[in-house]
C-alpha cells in the first residue's frame, strides 16, 4: 500500500528523528487503533535516557516560547512568571496522570502499550456511568480531533510566523547595518501584505509535505534543531544586555488580557501528546518519570526566563514573537532567518501527525489504483486549509492564544484529570484526589471558554502594529 502510518510506539512521535513508518493497510479514521504488537524492551530503536530527554525538550520548545514575553505582558511582570510556573507544574502533573493511567491499562489488559486515545477510551469503559461506557469509543475520537486541531493549528502558526518575519526582514533591508549598537530609528519600507507572503510559501510547503516517510524527514528535523538552537542562544544573548528600568511595568496587568496569557502559556506547555510514545520507546521506562520532571523543569526555566527577560527588554512594545523586536542589524536579521528556516522544516514534522490520521480515512474509500493521487491530494488540501486559516487570522499572538485555548487546554488540562477519575473511581479513589482533579479540569474549561471568547473578540479589533522600529531596541 502506498499510504503509510506510524506504528503505535511512533504514533504522534513526530519529533523523533530515529523513527520510521511501516507499511500497513489503510484502515480509516475509525479503525486507527492499537495493534498491541510492540514490545517495550529489546527493540533496536529503543532510546536511551539522554535521547528521550532531548526528544522531550524538542517537543516542547517551538514558536510558543517566542510568544511568552507578550504573554507576560498580558499578565504582568509579577503575575505572569508566577502563573507560568503554576501552569507548568499542573501540566507536568497531568502528564504524570496520563502515564499512570496508561500503565494501569497496560497491566490490566496485558498490552505492551496504549496511546493517549486508547487510554481515554479504556478509561471511559472503566467508568461507573453506563452512558460513558456505552460511548467509550468517542474518547479516542475526541482525542484524535483535538490532536488534529492542535497540530494543524501549529501549521497555521508557522505560516503566520514565516510571513511576519520575512516581511520584516525585507521591509528593513534598506536600513539594515552591520552595527548592532548604534541607536538608530528605522522607517519600514512598505512591501506586499503579509498574507501574500503566506501564499508565496504555500507551494513550497506543499512540496515539503509530499515527503511521506518520517525517516526521510529526519535530516530536516536535524537542520531545524540546529538553526533554532543557534537562534535561541542569540536571542538570550541580546535580551540580557542593557535591560531598561522595569519600575514602569505593571506587576499585574488588566484582567481583560489575562485569558490571552492563559492561551499562549498552555499552548507553550502542550507537549502531552509526546509523553506516551517517548516513554514507550525507552530502553528503561522506569526512569521516565525522573526524565519527565527534569526535562519539564528545564522547559519551564526557559519559558519563565525568556518571558521575563523579553518583557523587561522590550516593555510595552513586545510583539507576538520576540524575533520581531530584534535590532535592525545583519546579525539579528540572520537570527530571524535562521529561526524561520527551522520553523519551515518543522512544518513537515508537525503536519505528519494529522496527515497519518486523516489520509487513511480517504484512501480506504477510494480505488486502489488511485491511492497515491488521493494521498497527495489530501496533503495538498490540508496545507491549503492551514494557509487559508492563517490568511484569515494573520495575527501571530492571537493565533497562538486561540490554538492554546481551544485544543491545548483540552489535551493538557481538561482530559487527564477526568481520565484519572473514570479510571480509578471504582477502585476507591480518595475524595481529595477527586476534588483536585475536578479543580484542574474546571480551570482548563474556564480557560478554554474565556480564552477562546476573548481571542475571537480581539480578532475583530484592528491590529495595532508599530510603524517605527529602533535598531537596538523595540521601544518606539
Amino acid at each position: 500500500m502506498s499510504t503509510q502510518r506510524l506504528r503505535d510506539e511512533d504514533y504522534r512521535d513526530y519529533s523523533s528523528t530515529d523513527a520510521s513508518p511501516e507499511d500497513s493497510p489503510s484502515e480509516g479514521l475509525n479503525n486507527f487503533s492499537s495493534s498491541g504488537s510492540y514490545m517495550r524492551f529489546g527493540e533496536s530503536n529503543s532510546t536511551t535516557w539522554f535521547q528521550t530527554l532531548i526528544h522531550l525538550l524538542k517537543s516542547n520548545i517551538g514558536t510558543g516560547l517566542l510568544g511568552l514575553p507578550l504573554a507576560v505582558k498580558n499578565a504582568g511582570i509579577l503575575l505572569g512568571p508566577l502563573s507560568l510556573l503554576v501552569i507548568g507544574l499542573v501540566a507536568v502533573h497531568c502528564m504524570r496522570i496520563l502515564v499512570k493511567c496508561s500503565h494501569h491499562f497496560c497491566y490490566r489488559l496485558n498490552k505492551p502499550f496504549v496511546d493517549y486515545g486508547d487510554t481515554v477510551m479504556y478509561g471511559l469503559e472503566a467508568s461507573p456511568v453506563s452512558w460513558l461506557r456505552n460511548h467509550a469509543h468517542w474518547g479516542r475520537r475526541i482525542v484524535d480531533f483535538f490532536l488534529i486541531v492542535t497540530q494543524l493549528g501549529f501549521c497555521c502558526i508557522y505560516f503566520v510566523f514565516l510571513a511576519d518575519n520575512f516581511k520584516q526582514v525585507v521591509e528593513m533591508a534598506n536600513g539594515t547595518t552591520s552595527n548592532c549598537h548604534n541607536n538608530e530609528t528605522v522607517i519600514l519600507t512598505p512591501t506586499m501584505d503579509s498574507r501574500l507572503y503566506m501564499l508565496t510559501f504555500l507551494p513550497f510547503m506543499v512540496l515539503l509535505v509530499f515527503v511521506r516517510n518520517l525517516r526521510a524527514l529526519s535530516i530536516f528535523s536535524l537542520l531545524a534543531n540546529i538553526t533554532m538552537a543557534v537562534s535561541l542562544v542569540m536571542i538570550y544573548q541580546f535580551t540580557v544586555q542593557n535591560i531598561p528600568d522595569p519600575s514602569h511595568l505593571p506587576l499585574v496587568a488588566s484582567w481583560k488580557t489575562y485569558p490571552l496569557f492563559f492561551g499562549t502559556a498552555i499552548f507553550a506547555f502542550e507537549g502531552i501528546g509526546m509523553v506516551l510514545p517517548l516513554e514507550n520507546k525507552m530502553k528503561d521506562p522506569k526512569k521516565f518519570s525522573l526524565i519527565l520532571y527534569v526535562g519539564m523543569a528545564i522547559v519551564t526555566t526557559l519559558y519563565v526566563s525568556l518571558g521575563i527577560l523579553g518583557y523587561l527588554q522590550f516593555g510595552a512594545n513586545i510583539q507576538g514573537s520576540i524575533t520581531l523586536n530584534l535590532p535592525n542589524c545583519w546579525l539579528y536579521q540572520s537570527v530571524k532567518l535562521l529561526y524561520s528556516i527551522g520553523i519551515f522544516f518543522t512544518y513537515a514534522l508537525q503536519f505528519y501527525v494529522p496527515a497519518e490520521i486523516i489520509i487513511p480515512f480517504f484512501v480506504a474509500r477510494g480505488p486502489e489504483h488511485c491511492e497515491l493521487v488521493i494521498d497527495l491530494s489530501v496533503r495538498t488540501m490540508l496545507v491549503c486549509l492551514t494557509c487559508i486559516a492563517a490568511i484569515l487570522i494573520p495575527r501571530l499572538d492571537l493565533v497562538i492564544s486561540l490554538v492554546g485555548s481551544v485544543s491545548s487546554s483540552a489535551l493538557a488540562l481538561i482530559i487527564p484529570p477526568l481520565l484519572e477519575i473514570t479510571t480509578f473511581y471504582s477502585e476507591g479513589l480518595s475524595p481529595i484526589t477527586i476534588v483536585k482533579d475536578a479543580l484542574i479540569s474546571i480551570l482548563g474549561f474556564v480557560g478554554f471558554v474565556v480564552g477562546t471568547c476573548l481571542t475571537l473578540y480581539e480578532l475583530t479589533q484592528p491590529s495595532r502594529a508599530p510603524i517605527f522600529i529602533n535598531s537596538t531596541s523595540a521601544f518606539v
Side-chain angles (χ1 to χ4, degrees), residues 342-363:
I343 290 297
F344 174 79
F345 289 121
T346 305
Y347 183 99
L349 301 173
Q350 301 285 19
F351 182 86
Y352 197 93
V353 180
E356 295 306 307
I357 298 175
I358 296 173
I359 289 175
F361 177 81
F362 290 96
V363 170

Side-chain angles (χ1 to χ4, degrees), residues 136-279:
H137 61 281
W138 279 100
R140 160 166 283 286
R141 296 179 182 178
I142 290 173
V143 170
D144 281 346
F145 170 78
F146 281 117
L147 279 168
I148 290 172
V149 171
T150 300
Q151 298 305 125
L152 292 183
F154 289 162
C155 294
C156 293
I157 290 167
Y158 291 171
F159 265 108
V160 181
F161 180 89
L162 289 170
D164 284 352
N165 281 271
F166 269 86
K167 181 176 187 291
Q168 190 182 83
V169 170
V170 172
E171 289 181 341
M172 299 174 67
N174 291 334
T176 301
T177 68
S178 59
N179 191 334
C180 296
H181 303 288
N182 287 340
N183 194 17
E184 301 172 356
T185 298
V186 176
I187 299 178
L188 300 183
T189 302
T191 62
M192 60 183 181
D193 189 275
S194 63
R195 288 164 285 195
L196 295 178
Y197 281 90
M198 298 178 197
L199 291 175
T200 303
F201 283 112
L202 178 59
F204 299 100
M205 294 293 198
V206 171
L207 292 175
L208 185 64
V209 302
F210 280 177
V211 180
R212 297 177 294 144
N213 189 290
L214 193 61
R215 188 177 295 277
L217 293 175
S218 62
I219 184 63
F220 298 132
S221 176
L222 177 62
L223 180 60
N225 293 336
I226 294 174
T227 57
M228 293 169 71
V230 172
S231 300
L232 281 177
V233 171
M234 296 303 298
I235 290 171
Y236 268 97
Q237 178 266 339
F238 178 78
T239 55
V240 297
Q241 300 181 43
N242 303 319
I243 296 177
D245 180 13
S247 60
H248 65 285
L249 300 178
L251 296 179
V252 179
S254 170
W255 65 269
K256 295 180 180 179
T257 59
Y258 190 83
L260 296 177
F261 161 84
F262 176 85
T264 304
I266 198 60
F267 170 87
F269 278 108
E270 205 287 297
I272 195 168
M274 283 292 301
V275 170
L276 293 183
L278 288 179
E279 188 263 352

Side-chain angles (χ1 to χ4, degrees), residues 288-349:
F288 182 75
S289 294
L290 177 61
I291 293 172
L292 177 64
Y293 294 137
V294 172
M296 292 309 297
I298 296 173
V299 169
T300 304
T301 301
L302 287 174
Y303 285 0
V304 174
S305 61
L306 188 62
I308 294 174
L309 291 172
Y311 185 37
L312 289 176
Q313 181 66 244
F314 300 112
N317 296 297
I318 188 68
Q319 299 192 49
S321 169
I322 193 174
T323 55
L324 300 174
N325 288 97
L326 294 178
N328 184 40
C329 65
W330 286 115
L331 175 62
Y332 291 107
Q333 294 296 75
S334 65
V335 169
K336 299 176 189 177
L337 294 177
L338 278 175
Y339 211 97
S340 297
I341 291 172
I343 290 297
F344 174 79
F345 289 121
T346 305
Y347 183 99
L349 301 173

